[in-house]
Every structure is written in C-alpha cells, then in structure tokens.
Amino acid sequence: MPPPPSSSRPGLNGHPIATQNQQPYYRSYSSSSSASLKGCCCCLFLLFAFLALLVLAVVLIVILAVKPKKPQFDLQQVAVVYMGISNPSAVLDPTTASLSLTIRMLFTAVNPNKVGIRYGESSFTVMYKGMPLGRATVPGFYQDAHSTRNVEATISVDRVNLMQAHAADLVRDASLNDRVDLTVRGDVGAKIRVMNFDSPGVQVSVNCGIGISPRKQALIYKQCGFDGLSV
C-alpha cells in the first residue's frame, strides 16, 4: 500500500517542511462516567446518613422532652373459679391425687406518660413453692397516654400430676389447712411510642403472692411487688 500523501508548510527560513496528514483523535469517556457515578452514590449515601441522624436526633430530643416513666402493671383481683383435689383423703400418699385449678386474674395497666405505650405478649406462671402449676398468656396491646386499662388472664390446671416435689405439702394444705399459698410471676415488656418510633424496651416484673381457700373457693389474701428494669 503506498504511503499517505504528504503536505508541506513553509518553515522559518522559507523552505517547505514536509508533514504527514493528521488522523482524527477520539477521547474515551468511560473513566469520567465511572467517576461521576461513584460521586453520585457517595452523595446519596451522605444524604441518607444525614437524614437518619437528623431523625434520630429529633426522636431523642422528643424522648428527653416527654421524660418517659416506667409503666405500672398491677394484679388487682383474683377470682377462684375452681380448685379441687381428685383424692383429698390421700394425705399420706399424695401420688394418688391430682390437682385441678382455674383462677381468673385481673391486671391493671397504668400509663403515666405523655405518649402511648406498646406492650408485647406477656406470660404469667402460677407456682407452688417453686413448682409451676399453670401458665396464662396476655396478648400484646397498645395503651394511650395518661390512661388505665384492665387486662384479664385465666390460668387453668386440669388434673396436674402431683408426683413432684412438695406434692404432699400441697395436698395437706388444701385438704387439712384449707389454705394454699401460690405465687404469680411474669414479665411484661413495654416500649414507649414516640412519632411512630419505639423507644428501648422497659421490662416490668410482676411477683405476687396469693392465698386460696379450696373449701370457700375464694381468695384469702394478695400481696404484690414490682421491679422495673430498663433494657
């Protein structure tokens, strides 16, 4: 193939200088496009991070302004629906007896805060000298600010086997003494609701001692204590 034609232009001394025909030059934009895309992603990330920090700061300011307080969860009433021993004469041999128990409990939830509280699902266990007899579950619910709400729970024990520790004491208390001392324990988890955001959880532990008369099918006494722990 013959070489491309050359052209000449005048030099400083008047003599022509031979030059080659110049080819067009195309610039690549791939590196600049990649850098622009990375810059946009970085700006979007910084924007979202700033907005998240701004929302968090506003929520914290609101929480500090309302000064959240620990909610109260109290066992108000205990109704003995039924309590009986299948073989009350088996005082010396309690392994032949079984216990049936149904009690209805009424709890009162008090929200002293300026904002609402969201409670999670809670469970309560009835025990005799550390021996679990039955358990009741309370579904989660929302409570408005400065309000009081009643919550019911029922514990049913159907012919529980007494071949455990303290079984003889339980049969003796129910048959001879007509008094059975039980303990109701449970943990209630709650979160304060501020601007559609939930605060860190607050746990209220319920620990109540109750006395039941099997013959009268009635409550003798009730004494409760509470512990609140911020998580």
Short mmCIF file of all heavy atoms in Angstrom, two decimals, residues 163-217:
data_model
loop_
_atom_site.label_atom_id
_atom_site.label_comp_id
_atom_site.label_asym_id
_atom_site.label_seq_id
_atom_site.Cartn_x
_atom_site.Cartn_y
_atom_site.Cartn_z
N MET A 163 -47.01 -35.97 91.45
CA MET A 163 -45.82 -36.78 91.76
C MET A 163 -44.56 -35.94 91.54
O MET A 163 -43.71 -36.23 90.72
CB MET A 163 -45.78 -38.04 90.87
CG MET A 163 -46.93 -38.99 91.11
SD MET A 163 -46.91 -40.44 90.03
CE MET A 163 -45.35 -41.18 90.48
N GLN A 164 -44.48 -34.84 92.28
CA GLN A 164 -43.34 -33.94 92.20
C GLN A 164 -42.98 -33.50 93.61
O GLN A 164 -43.63 -33.90 94.59
CB GLN A 164 -43.68 -32.71 91.34
CG GLN A 164 -44.15 -33.05 89.94
CD GLN A 164 -44.49 -31.80 89.15
OE1 GLN A 164 -43.75 -30.84 89.15
NE2 GLN A 164 -45.62 -31.83 88.46
N ALA A 165 -41.95 -32.67 93.69
CA ALA A 165 -41.55 -32.14 94.99
C ALA A 165 -42.65 -31.27 95.56
O ALA A 165 -43.38 -30.58 94.84
CB ALA A 165 -40.26 -31.34 94.85
N HIS A 166 -42.82 -31.29 96.86
CA HIS A 166 -43.83 -30.52 97.60
C HIS A 166 -45.26 -30.97 97.31
O HIS A 166 -46.22 -30.27 97.67
CB HIS A 166 -43.71 -29.03 97.31
CG HIS A 166 -42.34 -28.47 97.54
ND1 HIS A 166 -41.71 -28.53 98.76
CD2 HIS A 166 -41.47 -27.86 96.69
CE1 HIS A 166 -40.51 -27.95 98.65
NE2 HIS A 166 -40.35 -27.56 97.41
N ALA A 167 -45.43 -32.11 96.66
CA ALA A 167 -46.79 -32.58 96.38
C ALA A 167 -47.54 -32.91 97.67
O ALA A 167 -48.73 -32.60 97.81
CB ALA A 167 -46.75 -33.80 95.47
N ALA A 168 -46.85 -33.51 98.62
CA ALA A 168 -47.50 -33.85 99.89
C ALA A 168 -47.93 -32.59 100.63
O ALA A 168 -49.02 -32.54 101.22
CB ALA A 168 -46.55 -34.68 100.76
N ASP A 169 -47.08 -31.54 100.59
CA ASP A 169 -47.44 -30.28 101.25
C ASP A 169 -48.65 -29.64 100.60
O ASP A 169 -49.52 -29.09 101.29
CB ASP A 169 -46.26 -29.31 101.21
CG ASP A 169 -45.06 -29.82 102.00
OD1 ASP A 169 -45.28 -30.66 102.91
OD2 ASP A 169 -43.93 -29.39 101.72
N LEU A 170 -48.74 -29.72 99.28
CA LEU A 170 -49.86 -29.13 98.58
C LEU A 170 -51.17 -29.83 98.94
O LEU A 170 -52.19 -29.18 99.23
CB LEU A 170 -49.64 -29.19 97.08
CG LEU A 170 -50.77 -28.67 96.19
CD1 LEU A 170 -51.07 -27.21 96.52
CD2 LEU A 170 -50.42 -28.82 94.72
N VAL A 171 -51.15 -31.16 98.98
CA VAL A 171 -52.35 -31.91 99.34
C VAL A 171 -52.73 -31.63 100.78
O VAL A 171 -53.92 -31.47 101.12
CB VAL A 171 -52.13 -33.41 99.10
CG1 VAL A 171 -53.32 -34.22 99.59
CG2 VAL A 171 -51.88 -33.68 97.62
N ARG A 172 -51.73 -31.54 101.67
CA ARG A 172 -52.01 -31.27 103.08
C ARG A 172 -52.59 -29.88 103.26
O ARG A 172 -53.55 -29.68 104.03
CB ARG A 172 -50.73 -31.44 103.90
CG ARG A 172 -50.95 -31.33 105.42
CD ARG A 172 -49.65 -31.51 106.17
NE ARG A 172 -49.06 -32.82 105.91
CZ ARG A 172 -47.98 -33.01 105.15
NH1 ARG A 172 -47.37 -31.97 104.59
NH2 ARG A 172 -47.50 -34.22 104.95
N ASP A 173 -52.02 -28.89 102.56
CA ASP A 173 -52.53 -27.52 102.69
C ASP A 173 -53.97 -27.41 102.18
O ASP A 173 -54.81 -26.74 102.79
CB ASP A 173 -51.64 -26.55 101.91
CG ASP A 173 -50.28 -26.38 102.56
OD1 ASP A 173 -50.15 -26.74 103.75
OD2 ASP A 173 -49.35 -25.90 101.87
N ALA A 174 -54.26 -28.09 101.09
CA ALA A 174 -55.60 -28.00 100.52
C ALA A 174 -56.62 -28.79 101.30
O ALA A 174 -57.77 -28.34 101.48
CB ALA A 174 -55.57 -28.48 99.07
N SER A 175 -56.24 -29.96 101.83
CA SER A 175 -57.21 -30.85 102.49
C SER A 175 -57.38 -30.53 103.97
O SER A 175 -58.51 -30.50 104.48
CB SER A 175 -56.77 -32.30 102.31
OG SER A 175 -56.63 -32.62 100.95
N LEU A 176 -56.28 -30.29 104.67
CA LEU A 176 -56.35 -30.10 106.12
C LEU A 176 -56.38 -28.63 106.53
O LEU A 176 -57.17 -28.23 107.39
CB LEU A 176 -55.16 -30.80 106.78
CG LEU A 176 -55.06 -32.32 106.54
CD1 LEU A 176 -53.85 -32.89 107.27
CD2 LEU A 176 -56.34 -33.02 106.96
N ASN A 177 -55.52 -27.82 105.92
CA ASN A 177 -55.41 -26.42 106.33
C ASN A 177 -56.39 -25.49 105.61
O ASN A 177 -56.58 -24.36 106.05
CB ASN A 177 -53.98 -25.92 106.11
CG ASN A 177 -52.96 -26.75 106.87
OD1 ASN A 177 -53.26 -27.29 107.94
ND2 ASN A 177 -51.74 -26.84 106.31
N ASP A 178 -56.95 -25.95 104.52
CA ASP A 178 -57.87 -25.14 103.72
C ASP A 178 -57.22 -23.82 103.32
O ASP A 178 -57.86 -22.76 103.30
CB ASP A 178 -59.17 -24.87 104.48
CG ASP A 178 -60.24 -24.23 103.58
OD1 ASP A 178 -60.21 -24.52 102.38
OD2 ASP A 178 -61.03 -23.44 104.09
N ARG A 179 -55.96 -23.89 102.99
CA ARG A 179 -55.23 -22.70 102.55
C ARG A 179 -54.05 -23.14 101.69
O ARG A 179 -53.20 -23.91 102.14
CB ARG A 179 -54.73 -21.89 103.74
CG ARG A 179 -53.81 -20.74 103.35
CD ARG A 179 -53.54 -19.82 104.50
NE ARG A 179 -52.52 -18.83 104.17
CZ ARG A 179 -52.29 -17.73 104.86
NH1 ARG A 179 -53.02 -17.47 105.94
NH2 ARG A 179 -51.34 -16.89 104.50
N VAL A 180 -54.02 -22.63 100.49
CA VAL A 180 -52.93 -22.92 99.56
C VAL A 180 -52.30 -21.59 99.17
O VAL A 180 -52.97 -20.71 98.61
CB VAL A 180 -53.42 -23.67 98.31
CG1 VAL A 180 -52.27 -23.89 97.33
CG2 VAL A 180 -54.04 -25.00 98.72
N ASP A 181 -51.02 -21.44 99.46
CA ASP A 181 -50.28 -20.23 99.11
C ASP A 181 -49.61 -20.43 97.75
O ASP A 181 -48.81 -21.36 97.56
CB ASP A 181 -49.21 -19.93 100.17
CG ASP A 181 -49.84 -19.62 101.53
OD1 ASP A 181 -50.92 -19.00 101.54
OD2 ASP A 181 -49.24 -20.00 102.56
N LEU A 182 -49.94 -19.55 96.82
CA LEU A 182 -49.41 -19.62 95.46
C LEU A 182 -48.65 -18.34 95.12
O LEU A 182 -48.80 -17.32 95.78
CB LEU A 182 -50.53 -19.83 94.45
CG LEU A 182 -51.41 -21.07 94.65
CD1 LEU A 182 -52.55 -21.08 93.64
CD2 LEU A 182 -50.58 -22.35 94.55
N THR A 183 -47.84 -18.42 94.10
CA THR A 183 -47.08 -17.28 93.61
C THR A 183 -47.38 -17.08 92.14
O THR A 183 -47.37 -18.03 91.35
CB THR A 183 -45.56 -17.49 93.80
OG1 THR A 183 -45.29 -17.72 95.18
CG2 THR A 183 -44.78 -16.27 93.33
N VAL A 184 -47.66 -15.83 91.77
CA VAL A 184 -47.90 -15.46 90.38
C VAL A 184 -46.74 -14.60 89.92
O VAL A 184 -46.49 -13.52 90.49
CB VAL A 184 -49.23 -14.70 90.21
CG1 VAL A 184 -49.44 -14.31 88.75
CG2 VAL A 184 -50.40 -15.54 90.72
N ARG A 185 -46.03 -15.08 88.90
CA ARG A 185 -44.87 -14.35 88.39
C ARG A 185 -44.98 -14.18 86.88
O ARG A 185 -45.51 -15.05 86.18
CB ARG A 185 -43.56 -15.08 88.73
CG ARG A 185 -43.21 -15.07 90.20
CD ARG A 185 -41.90 -15.79 90.46
NE ARG A 185 -41.57 -15.79 91.88
CZ ARG A 185 -40.51 -16.42 92.39
NH1 ARG A 185 -39.67 -17.08 91.59
NH2 ARG A 185 -40.28 -16.37 93.69
N GLY A 186 -44.47 -13.07 86.42
CA GLY A 186 -44.48 -12.80 84.98
C GLY A 186 -43.70 -11.56 84.64
O GLY A 186 -43.44 -10.71 85.49
N ASP A 187 -43.28 -11.47 83.38
CA ASP A 187 -42.54 -10.33 82.87
C ASP A 187 -43.37 -9.65 81.79
O ASP A 187 -43.86 -10.30 80.86
CB ASP A 187 -41.18 -10.74 82.30
CG ASP A 187 -40.26 -11.28 83.38
OD1 ASP A 187 -40.34 -10.79 84.51
OD2 ASP A 187 -39.46 -12.20 83.08
N VAL A 188 -43.49 -8.34 81.92
CA VAL A 188 -44.25 -7.54 80.96
C VAL A 188 -43.28 -6.61 80.25
O VAL A 188 -42.63 -5.78 80.89
CB VAL A 188 -45.36 -6.73 81.66
CG1 VAL A 188 -46.16 -5.93 80.64
CG2 VAL A 188 -46.27 -7.66 82.46
N GLY A 189 -43.18 -6.76 78.93
CA GLY A 189 -42.31 -5.90 78.13
C GLY A 189 -43.09 -4.77 77.51
O GLY A 189 -44.16 -4.98 76.94
N ALA A 190 -42.56 -3.53 77.60
CA ALA A 190 -43.26 -2.37 77.06
C ALA A 190 -42.26 -1.45 76.37
O ALA A 190 -41.09 -1.39 76.75
CB ALA A 190 -43.99 -1.61 78.17
N LYS A 191 -42.75 -0.75 75.33
CA LYS A 191 -41.96 0.23 74.61
C LYS A 191 -42.77 1.50 74.44
O LYS A 191 -43.94 1.45 74.08
CB LYS A 191 -41.53 -0.30 73.23
CG LYS A 191 -40.56 -1.45 73.29
CD LYS A 191 -40.12 -1.88 71.90
CE LYS A 191 -39.11 -3.00 71.96
NZ LYS A 191 -38.65 -3.42 70.61
N ILE A 192 -42.14 2.62 74.72
CA ILE A 192 -42.81 3.91 74.57
C ILE A 192 -42.83 4.30 73.10
O ILE A 192 -41.83 4.20 72.39
CB ILE A 192 -42.10 4.99 75.40
CG1 ILE A 192 -42.18 4.62 76.89
CG2 ILE A 192 -42.71 6.36 75.16
CD1 ILE A 192 -41.44 5.57 77.79
N ARG A 193 -44.00 4.71 72.63
CA ARG A 193 -44.21 5.05 71.22
C ARG A 193 -44.13 6.56 71.03
O ARG A 193 -44.96 7.31 71.55
CB ARG A 193 -45.57 4.54 70.76
CG ARG A 193 -45.81 4.59 69.26
CD ARG A 193 -45.07 3.48 68.56
NE ARG A 193 -45.48 3.41 67.16
CZ ARG A 193 -44.87 2.63 66.28
NH1 ARG A 193 -43.87 1.88 66.65
NH2 ARG A 193 -45.28 2.58 65.03
N VAL A 194 -43.10 7.03 70.28
CA VAL A 194 -42.91 8.46 70.03
C VAL A 194 -42.74 8.66 68.53
O VAL A 194 -41.82 8.13 67.92
CB VAL A 194 -41.68 9.00 70.78
CG1 VAL A 194 -41.49 10.48 70.50
CG2 VAL A 194 -41.80 8.76 72.27
N MET A 195 -43.66 9.40 67.91
CA MET A 195 -43.57 9.75 66.49
C MET A 195 -43.38 8.50 65.63
O MET A 195 -42.51 8.44 64.76
CB MET A 195 -42.42 10.74 66.25
CG MET A 195 -42.57 12.07 66.96
SD MET A 195 -41.13 13.14 66.75
CE MET A 195 -41.08 13.29 64.96
N ASN A 196 -44.18 7.48 65.91
CA ASN A 196 -44.15 6.21 65.17
C ASN A 196 -42.83 5.47 65.34
O ASN A 196 -42.50 4.59 64.54
CB ASN A 196 -44.42 6.44 63.68
CG ASN A 196 -45.84 6.91 63.42
OD1 ASN A 196 -46.76 6.56 64.16
ND2 ASN A 196 -46.02 7.72 62.40
N PHE A 197 -42.07 5.80 66.37
CA PHE A 197 -40.83 5.10 66.68
C PHE A 197 -40.95 4.52 68.10
O PHE A 197 -41.50 5.16 68.99
CB PHE A 197 -39.62 6.04 66.60
CG PHE A 197 -39.27 6.45 65.19
CD1 PHE A 197 -39.76 7.63 64.66
CD2 PHE A 197 -38.46 5.64 64.41
CE1 PHE A 197 -39.44 8.01 63.37
CE2 PHE A 197 -38.13 6.02 63.11
CZ PHE A 197 -38.63 7.20 62.59
N ASP A 198 -40.42 3.31 68.27
CA ASP A 198 -40.43 2.66 69.58
C ASP A 198 -39.12 2.92 70.30
O ASP A 198 -38.04 2.78 69.72
CB ASP A 198 -40.64 1.14 69.43
CG ASP A 198 -42.03 0.81 68.92
OD1 ASP A 198 -42.94 1.61 69.17
OD2 ASP A 198 -42.20 -0.24 68.28
N SER A 199 -39.24 3.29 71.57
CA SER A 199 -38.06 3.52 72.39
C SER A 199 -37.47 2.18 72.84
O SER A 199 -38.09 1.13 72.65
CB SER A 199 -38.45 4.35 73.62
OG SER A 199 -39.26 3.57 74.50
N PRO A 200 -36.28 2.18 73.44
CA PRO A 200 -35.76 0.94 74.04
C PRO A 200 -36.74 0.36 75.05
O PRO A 200 -37.45 1.09 75.74
CB PRO A 200 -34.46 1.41 74.71
CG PRO A 200 -34.04 2.61 73.92
CD PRO A 200 -35.31 3.29 73.50
N GLY A 201 -36.79 -0.96 75.11
CA GLY A 201 -37.79 -1.64 75.92
C GLY A 201 -37.61 -1.45 77.41
O GLY A 201 -36.51 -1.25 77.92
N VAL A 202 -38.74 -1.46 78.11
CA VAL A 202 -38.78 -1.42 79.57
C VAL A 202 -39.48 -2.68 80.04
O VAL A 202 -40.56 -3.01 79.56
CB VAL A 202 -39.52 -0.17 80.08
CG1 VAL A 202 -39.63 -0.20 81.59
CG2 VAL A 202 -38.79 1.10 79.64
N GLN A 203 -38.88 -3.39 80.96
CA GLN A 203 -39.45 -4.64 81.45
C GLN A 203 -39.93 -4.47 82.88
O GLN A 203 -39.20 -4.02 83.74
CB GLN A 203 -38.42 -5.77 81.38
CG GLN A 203 -38.95 -7.11 81.88
CD GLN A 203 -37.95 -8.22 81.64
OE1 GLN A 203 -37.62 -8.55 80.51
NE2 GLN A 203 -37.43 -8.78 82.71
N VAL A 204 -41.19 -4.84 83.12
CA VAL A 204 -41.79 -4.78 84.45
C VAL A 204 -42.03 -6.21 84.90
O VAL A 204 -42.74 -6.97 84.24
CB VAL A 204 -43.11 -3.98 84.44
CG1 VAL A 204 -43.70 -3.95 85.83
CG2 VAL A 204 -42.87 -2.58 83.91
N SER A 205 -41.43 -6.59 86.01
CA SER A 205 -41.59 -7.94 86.56
C SER A 205 -42.66 -7.93 87.64
O SER A 205 -42.61 -7.14 88.58
CB SER A 205 -40.26 -8.44 87.14
OG SER A 205 -39.27 -8.52 86.13
N VAL A 206 -43.65 -8.81 87.48
CA VAL A 206 -44.74 -8.94 88.44
C VAL A 206 -44.47 -10.15 89.32
O VAL A 206 -44.21 -11.25 88.83
CB VAL A 206 -46.08 -9.10 87.72
CG1 VAL A 206 -47.21 -9.27 88.72
CG2 VAL A 206 -46.35 -7.90 86.81
N ASN A 207 -44.53 -9.95 90.62
CA ASN A 207 -44.30 -11.02 91.59
C ASN A 207 -45.33 -10.87 92.71
O ASN A 207 -45.19 -10.01 93.57
CB ASN A 207 -42.87 -10.96 92.13
CG ASN A 207 -42.53 -12.16 93.00
OD1 ASN A 207 -43.36 -13.05 93.20
ND2 ASN A 207 -41.32 -12.19 93.51
N CYS A 208 -46.37 -11.71 92.66
CA CYS A 208 -47.46 -11.60 93.62
C CYS A 208 -47.64 -12.91 94.38
O CYS A 208 -47.57 -14.00 93.78
CB CYS A 208 -48.78 -11.26 92.91
SG CYS A 208 -48.77 -9.66 92.08
N GLY A 209 -47.90 -12.78 95.66
CA GLY A 209 -48.25 -13.93 96.48
C GLY A 209 -49.74 -13.90 96.79
O GLY A 209 -50.27 -12.87 97.21
N ILE A 210 -50.42 -15.02 96.57
CA ILE A 210 -51.86 -15.10 96.82
C ILE A 210 -52.15 -16.33 97.67
O ILE A 210 -51.43 -17.33 97.63
CB ILE A 210 -52.67 -15.16 95.52
CG1 ILE A 210 -52.27 -16.38 94.69
CG2 ILE A 210 -52.49 -13.88 94.70
CD1 ILE A 210 -53.10 -16.57 93.42
N GLY A 211 -53.21 -16.25 98.47
CA GLY A 211 -53.67 -17.37 99.27
C GLY A 211 -55.09 -17.74 98.88
O GLY A 211 -55.95 -16.86 98.75
N ILE A 212 -55.35 -19.03 98.67
CA ILE A 212 -56.65 -19.50 98.19
C ILE A 212 -57.22 -20.51 99.19
O ILE A 212 -56.50 -21.37 99.71
CB ILE A 212 -56.52 -20.15 96.80
CG1 ILE A 212 -56.08 -19.11 95.77
CG2 ILE A 212 -57.83 -20.79 96.36
CD1 ILE A 212 -55.84 -19.67 94.39
N SER A 213 -58.52 -20.40 99.43
CA SER A 213 -59.25 -21.36 100.26
C SER A 213 -60.00 -22.33 99.35
O SER A 213 -60.94 -21.93 98.66
CB SER A 213 -60.24 -20.64 101.17
OG SER A 213 -61.10 -21.58 101.81
N PRO A 214 -59.58 -23.61 99.29
CA PRO A 214 -60.28 -24.56 98.42
C PRO A 214 -61.73 -24.79 98.82
O PRO A 214 -62.59 -24.99 97.94
CB PRO A 214 -59.45 -25.84 98.57
CG PRO A 214 -58.11 -25.39 99.04
CD PRO A 214 -58.38 -24.19 99.89
N ARG A 215 -62.03 -24.77 100.11
CA ARG A 215 -63.42 -25.03 100.53
C ARG A 215 -64.33 -23.88 100.17
O ARG A 215 -65.45 -24.09 99.68
CB ARG A 215 -63.45 -25.27 102.04
CG ARG A 215 -62.68 -26.51 102.48
CD ARG A 215 -62.66 -26.62 104.00
NE ARG A 215 -61.80 -27.72 104.43
CZ ARG A 215 -61.50 -27.96 105.71
NH1 ARG A 215 -61.99 -27.17 106.67
NH2 ARG A 215 -60.70 -28.97 106.03
N LYS A 216 -63.86 -22.65 100.39
CA LYS A 216 -64.68 -21.48 100.09
C LYS A 216 -64.57 -21.05 98.62
O LYS A 216 -65.35 -20.21 98.18
CB LYS A 216 -64.27 -20.31 100.98
CG LYS A 216 -64.46 -20.57 102.47
CD LYS A 216 -64.00 -19.38 103.28
CE LYS A 216 -64.15 -19.64 104.78
NZ LYS A 216 -63.67 -18.49 105.59
N GLN A 217 -63.59 -21.64 97.92
CA GLN A 217 -63.34 -21.25 96.52
C GLN A 217 -63.18 -19.73 96.43
O GLN A 217 -63.78 -19.06 95.59
CB GLN A 217 -64.49 -21.71 95.63
CG GLN A 217 -64.74 -23.21 95.62
CD GLN A 217 -63.64 -23.97 94.88
OE1 GLN A 217 -63.36 -23.72 93.71
NE2 GLN A 217 -63.01 -24.91 95.57
#
